[in-house]
């Protein structure tokens, strides 16, 4: 726990409760926090306790570790079943598989990362299959038991062939939820909806003097967004910069899969829904990464492709409204292009930028040039 005069970043075991109105420090209405029997008061309380891994609602769920358990592993398992096709499941499946662990990835939807761009997901899945990850789409784990030989048996529903798996490790990665249970929010006027604290665009909650940011309130569970939001809130409260607000649109991010998937803005599906298919245009390119271009075996070389894609709004000067890249090195590329898109870059701007050769990112400014 880190405590300062004005801010409380806390994981309270006893919780929050209203404090009596008191004089001093500008007659500000104060709040009180109680942690392990010790009481604290401050003009401002920030709730930024993050999130915790959700647990599977099945028999034997306690036998499966979560992502925290992954970092506590002291030996590499020979086999693993990962349950969940989101960020964490996809990333950890790549780590285990690359290390040589026999890796199964079970997920209830037809696709991994089902809310992301379909072209990119199809491309990434093919890479994962080529690398040896066993994908189990539209499947559900219904029960986990420990066998006499030390292996864990997972009962699987939805797969035509695999009904059960015996593996050394079962890892559940089925999402994360705000870690607000036990904080005593029921003792305050802080509103909670569907497990999240309700806050406005300035991270003010419904209770005076109590603020919330990060995973407890934002749908974007990304560390950099929470850090930026905290800085903005600090400037708002103590440097009187009332014009500052956290902008949650066009936030660049990377899924550290194997290979990584970097993106910013809308998916093609979201763009069609928002602007109509007739009002957008999509640019795509797929090629062997230059790092692997000298591999003589054509079949092996074809396994190391890169997929690049961006979407423009034809009704808004062909402004780039989404950019998606899958392949080696795209995690470094997306930050720079994120700045450009945040500034409102258009197809014309991309075309006018001189390419840097030889690089992968040059393809984004050479893709079907219209403005020379």
């Amino acid at each position: 726990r880190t405590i300062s005069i004005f801010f409380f970043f806390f994981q309270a075991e006893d919780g929050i409760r209203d404090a009596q109105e008191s004089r001093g420090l500008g007659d500000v209405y104060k709040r009180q926090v109680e942690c392990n029997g010790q009481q604290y008061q401050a003009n401002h309380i920030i709730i930024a306790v993050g999130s915790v891994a959700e647990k599977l609602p099945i028999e034997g769920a306690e036998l499966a570790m979560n992502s925290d358990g992954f970092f506590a592993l002291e030996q590499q398992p020979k086999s693993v079943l990962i349950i969940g096709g989101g960020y964490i499941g996809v990333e950890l499946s790549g780590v285990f598989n690359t290390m040589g662990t026999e890796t199964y990835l079970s997920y209830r939807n037809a696709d991994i990362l089902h809310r992301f761009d379909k072209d990119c997901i199809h491309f990434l899945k093919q890479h994962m299959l080529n690398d040896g990850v066993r994908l189990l789409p539209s499947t559900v784990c219904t029960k986990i038991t420990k066998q006499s030989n030390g292996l864990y048996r997972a009962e699987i529903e939805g797969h035509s062939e695999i009904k059960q798996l015996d593996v050394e490790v079962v890892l559940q990665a089925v999402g994360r939820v705000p870690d607000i249970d036990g904080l005593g929010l029921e003792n305050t006027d802080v509103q909670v909806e569907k497990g999240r604290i309700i806050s406005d665009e300035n991270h003010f909650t419904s209770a005076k003097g109590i603020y919330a940011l990060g995973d407890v309130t934002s749908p974007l569970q990304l560390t950099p967004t929470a850090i930026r939001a905290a800085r903005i809130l600090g400037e708002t409260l103590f440097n009187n910069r009332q014009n500052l607000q956290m902008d949650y649109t066009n936030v660049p991010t990377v899924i550290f899969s194997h290979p990584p998937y970097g993106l910013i803005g809308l998916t093609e599906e979201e763009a069609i829904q928002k602007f109509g298919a007739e009002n957008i245009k999509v640019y795509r390119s797929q090629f062997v990464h230059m790092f692997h271009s000298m591999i003589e075996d054509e079949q092996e070389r074809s396994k190391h492709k890169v997929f690049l894609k961006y979407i423009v709004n034809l009704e808004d000067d062909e402004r780039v409204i989404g950019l998606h890249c899958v392949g080696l090195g795209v995690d470094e590329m997306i930050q720079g292009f994120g700045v450009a898109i945040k500034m409102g870059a258009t197809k014309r701007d991309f075309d006018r930028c001189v390419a840097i050769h030889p690089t992968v990112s040059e393809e984004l400014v050479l893709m079907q040039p219209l403005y020379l």
Side-chain angles (χ1 to χ4, degrees):
R1 300 173 180 81
T2 301
I3 300 175
S4 64
I5 296 176
F6 298 108
F7 289 84
F8 282 68
F9 295 88
F10 59 90
Q11 184 78 38
E13 295 183 5
D14 298 319
I16 310 172
R17 63 183 183 184
D18 291 335
Q20 297 295 320
E21 186 171 2
S22 58
R23 297 292 174 180
L25 293 177
D27 293 331
V28 178
Y29 184 80
K30 294 185 178 182
R31 297 289 182 180
Q32 180 172 291
V33 177
E34 188 172 309
C35 300
N36 297 330
Q38 182 68 42
Q39 296 180 355
Y40 305 89
Q41 289 186 353
N43 297 338
H44 307 286
I45 298 174
I46 297 179
I47 305 175
V49 295
S51 58
V52 293
E54 279 198 273
K55 296 180 181 179
L56 287 166
I58 64 171
E59 182 181 346
E62 70 280 0
L63 300 174
M65 68 173 61
N66 56 29
S67 55
D68 296 331
F70 167 80
F71 291 104
L73 283 173
E74 296 182 356
Q75 291 184 331
Q76 178 188 347
K78 294 180 180 179
S79 57
V80 62
L81 168 64
I82 299 174
I83 304 170
Y87 262 84
I88 296 173
V90 169
E91 291 179 345
L92 293 185
S93 69
V95 173
F96 276 119
N97 185 69
T98 301
M99 293 171 63
T101 298
E102 184 179 4
T103 304
Y104 296 87
L105 180 61
S106 167
Y107 44 99
R108 63 182 180 180
N109 296 296
D111 272 329
I112 56 171
L113 304 168
H114 69 284
R115 295 180 182 177
F116 290 80
D117 189 87
K118 300 304 180 187
D119 282 345
C120 294
I121 299 313
H122 177 77
F123 182 84
L124 177 58
K125 280 199 308 182
Q126 194 57 54
H127 258 280
M128 294 172 70
L129 289 169
N130 289 341
D131 288 344
V133 179
R134 278 80 162 180
L135 300 180
L136 308 178
S138 304
T139 57
V140 176
C141 177
T142 58
K143 183 179 179 181
I144 304 171
T145 55
K146 188 170 184 179
Q147 305 301 296
S148 58
N149 60 3
L151 297 179
Y152 295 97
R153 175 166 294 173
E155 306 291 336
I156 304 293
E157 287 186 358
H159 198 274
S160 59
E161 299 177 3
I162 298 176
K163 304 303 179 184
Q164 62 184 31
L165 283 171
D166 288 354
V167 293
E168 288 191 6
V169 168
V170 179
L171 189 150
Q172 49 186 324
V174 291
R176 299 183 66 84
V177 293
D179 190 17
I180 60 175
D181 287 347
L183 292 186
L185 295 179
E186 66 277 5
N187 301 318
T188 73
D189 294 328
V190 175
Q191 292 184 1
V192 177
E193 185 176 296
K194 295 181 179 179
R196 291 188 181 276
I197 296 175
I198 303 300
S199 63
D200 64 15
E201 64 276 7
N202 295 310
H203 303 99
F204 286 43
T205 71
S206 52
K208 186 176 181 180
I210 299 181
Y211 316 90
L213 51 84
D215 290 1
V216 296
T217 186
S218 171
L220 293 177
Q221 293 183 334
L222 301 169
T223 300
T225 61
I227 292 172
R228 180 168 176 78
R231 289 172 174 167
I232 289 174
L233 180 58
E235 290 291 323
T236 300
L237 294 177
F238 304 118
N239 284 335
N240 198 32
R241 299 181 66 182
Q242 303 298 321
N243 60 323
L244 290 179
Q245 282 186 355
M246 179 65 191
D247 182 3
Y248 287 98
T249 61
N250 285 335
V251 174
T253 187
V254 172
I255 301 161
F256 289 96
S257 47
H258 286 62
Y261 169 16
L263 64 144
I264 180 173
L266 303 178
T267 66
E268 180 179 351
E269 295 74 27
E270 290 170 338
I272 290 173
Q273 184 176 13
K274 185 172 184 178
F275 299 108
E278 70 281 5
N279 296 318
I280 69 167
K281 187 172 182 179
V282 180
Y283 296 88
R284 301 178 180 86
S285 184
Q286 185 177 154
F287 53 94
V288 175
H289 195 291
M290 298 186 71
F291 187 81
H292 300 98
S293 61
M294 300 302 290
I295 297 176
E296 293 185 359
D297 186 280
E298 184 175 349
Q299 186 174 2
E300 180 64 27
R301 186 170 64 247
S302 66
K303 295 180 181 179
H304 302 282
K305 289 186 177 181
V306 178
F307 180 78
L308 306 179
K309 170 180 182 176
Y310 63 88
I311 307 135
V312 302
N313 183 356
L314 297 176
E315 291 192 314
D316 186 19
D317 196 27
E318 294 192 278
R319 195 169 309 282
V320 180
I321 55 176
L323 185 145
H324 303 261
C325 308
V326 185
L328 181 64
V330 302
D331 43 339
E332 295 292 345
M333 289 166 46
I334 202 69
Q335 185 74 77
F337 280 98
V339 174
I341 292 172
K342 197 73 174 175
M343 294 176 67
T346 64
K347 169 64 174 169
R348 183 188 298 272
D349 295 322
F350 274 41
D351 288 353
R352 290 170 60 192
C353 183
V354 176
I356 302 172
H357 183 76
T359 64
V360 170
S361 56
E362 67 177 308
E363 185 68 15
L364 289 170
V365 300
L366 296 175
M367 207 181 295
Q368 302 177 40
L370 301 175
Y371 306 98
L372 300 177

